[in-house]
């Protein structure tokens, strides 16, 4: 277990990254983002990690947004740099070859919702609240929310959250398709670990190709994305797991993955 100033990182096949600034409801300042970026580099380099879970310390918040006190002191150029720093973090999460799950306890607002949306799957405690309230600060989302939210929930709902700055509860977020699962708040980490265990039972190699192709639907025009899928699909044919997976089906047995 590594204790950074604002993070707790527990490494393992299922690794857990906890943003640990509960007094400020885990708000993201420059230092938190830099610590997360460094930790993600370690995750990427560690082949033994199969799934990463991201959560927030305490019961009240996953992340209540970017740090408003810090932003109130920023010059225009510092604001721009801060947005870029956050964007790179979100892209680093999306570029990780392994699945990342956000376990959302309490508030996921502004940069907190943007962080959750950079993850592959979102599990919410029933006390979770989601929103992009930047408009109420005279701001707009700056860590990718204007793009990723519409991708996840469609334009009408994205406009509702971003233009009105309203919050929605976990049940509504699930109905909107923003989160994958709502669980009782005191079972959040246990349920998220169960989901991670299901991912670990898959071929890591196939998951990597699936994640890359899903990402292409966000970064590429449809035609290029469809071609990307063909290449990624073709790549799975170079792996041992494709041979094992199809053979196991024919032989009516469980596959034994080599994750390559
Ligand atoms: C800094 C924050 C914070 C934030 C909460 N705190 N959110 N500090 N940045 N985003 C601090 C409070 O100042 C307070 O500190 C402590 O956490 C507890 O918060 P309270 O407000 O007392 O709690 P409560 O009354 O329960 O209200 C919870 C809340 C509210 C509804 C979540 O805190 C809130 O509205 N927070 C701001 C949410 C927000 O607007 N997020 C978007 C930020 S902009 P003290 O010291 O007083 O105890 C953004 C842009 C991203 O994310 C892109 C940037 C480029």
């Amino acid at each position: 277990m590594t204790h950074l100033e604002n993070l707790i990182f527990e490494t393992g096949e299922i690794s857990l990254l906890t943003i640990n600034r509960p007094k400020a409801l885990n708000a993201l300042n420059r230092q938190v983002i830099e610590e997360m970026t460094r930790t993600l580099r370690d995750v990427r380099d560690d082949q033994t990690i199969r799934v990463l879970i991201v959560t927030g310390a305490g019961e009240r918040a996953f992340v209540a947004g970017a740090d408003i006190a810090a932003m109130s002191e920023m010059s225009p150029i510092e604001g721009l740099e801060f947005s870029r720093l956050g964007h790179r973090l979100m892209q680093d999460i999306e570029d990780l070859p392994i699945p990342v799950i956000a376990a959302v306890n309490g508030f996921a607002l502004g940069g907190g919702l943007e962080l959750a949306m950079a993850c592959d799957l979102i599990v919410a405690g029933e006390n979770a609240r989601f929103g992009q309230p930047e408009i109420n600060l005279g701001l707009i989302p700056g860590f990718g929310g204007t793009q990723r939210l519409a991708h996840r929930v469609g334009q009408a709902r994205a406009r509702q959250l971003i233009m009105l700055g309203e919050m929605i509860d976990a049940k509504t977020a699930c109905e909107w398709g923003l989160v994958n699962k709502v669980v009782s708040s005191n079972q959040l980490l246990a349920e998220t670990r169960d989901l991670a265990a299901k991912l670990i039972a898959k071929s890591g190699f196939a998951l990597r190709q699936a994640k890359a192709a899903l990402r292409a639907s966000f970064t590429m025009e449809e035609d290029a994305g469809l071609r990307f899928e063909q290449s990624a699909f073709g790549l799975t044919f170079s792996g041992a797991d494709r041979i094992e997976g199809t053979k196991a089906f024919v032989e009516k047995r469980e596959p034994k993955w080599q994750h390559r």
Side-chain angles (χ1 to χ4, degrees):
M1 187 181 308
T2 316
H3 272 269
L4 295 153
E5 200 168 322
N6 301 285
L7 298 182
I8 304 167
F9 181 56
E10 294 165 57
T11 186
E13 221 180 9
I14 299 170
S15 289
L16 179 66
L17 191 162
T18 306
I19 300 160
N20 187 29
R21 264 192 101 200
K23 277 191 192 143
L25 302 186
N26 303 317
L28 303 174
N29 58 20
R30 175 174 286 277
Q31 197 184 359
V32 180
I33 295 175
E34 284 171 351
E35 286 181 14
M36 289 182 76
T37 301
R38 282 203 298 278
T39 305
L40 288 176
R41 210 171 299 143
D42 295 342
V43 172
R44 196 169 45 230
D45 291 344
D46 186 338
Q47 307 284 321
T48 65
I49 301 176
R50 303 277 318 283
V51 177
L52 177 68
I53 299 172
V54 179
T55 195
E59 266 130 53
R60 293 178 64 201
F62 172 70
V63 168
D67 191 304
I68 300 170
M71 284 193 295
S72 75
E73 306 279 317
M74 287 179 191
S75 69
I77 194 73
E78 285 168 341
L80 174 65
E81 286 300 331
F82 187 53
S83 173
R84 285 190 176 144
L85 188 73
H87 269 266
R88 279 197 295 273
L89 170 67
M90 305 312 162
Q91 280 168 3
D92 284 348
I93 294 172
E94 290 183 330
D95 285 340
L96 275 184
I98 57 169
V100 183
I101 311 175
V104 176
N105 47 314
F107 295 108
L109 301 175
L113 175 51
E114 290 168 309
L115 173 63
M117 289 193 293
C119 300
D120 295 290
L121 297 163
I122 304 176
V123 181
E126 52 201 0
N127 67 338
R129 298 282 177 280
F130 298 85
Q132 297 282 172
E134 289 90 341
I135 199 80
N136 302 323
L137 301 163
L139 292 171
I140 68 166
F143 291 161
T146 59
Q147 311 299 302
R148 289 192 183 92
L149 187 58
H151 264 262
R152 290 207 175 226
V153 302
Q155 286 290 340
R157 286 165 169 169
R159 276 156 211 263
Q160 184 180 333
L161 288 195
I162 291 171
M163 293 183 151
L164 293 167
E166 291 174 353
M167 277 189 228
I168 55 170
D169 62 15
K171 187 168 163 280
T172 307
C174 199
E175 283 163 11
W176 284 17
L178 183 59
V179 313
N180 297 87
K181 199 173 179 187
V182 182
V183 300
S184 103
S185 297
N186 57 15
Q187 287 300 310
L188 177 63
L189 270 187
E191 295 266 4
T192 308
R193 283 184 187 280
D194 285 351
L195 185 62
K198 286 186 187 165
L199 289 166
I200 281 186
K202 309 294 177 196
S203 157
F205 182 66
L207 275 178
R208 174 189 285 236
Q209 308 318 322
K211 178 162 176 170
L214 283 159
R215 173 130 166 78
S217 77
F218 183 66
T219 57
M220 291 180 181
E221 295 292 337
E222 190 176 358
D223 186 53
L226 289 170
R227 284 168 202 280
F228 187 96
E229 182 192 271
Q230 293 162 33
S231 301
F233 180 81
L235 202 54
T236 60
F237 274 70
S238 71
D241 285 349
R242 184 271 309 184
I243 296 169
E244 168 63 7
T246 49
K247 213 166 136 196
F249 178 84
V250 172
E251 293 171 1
K252 300 189 188 302
R253 61 174 175 82
E254 288 299 312
K256 292 190 186 70
W257 305 122
Q258 293 180 42
H259 309 297
R260 62 184 178 84

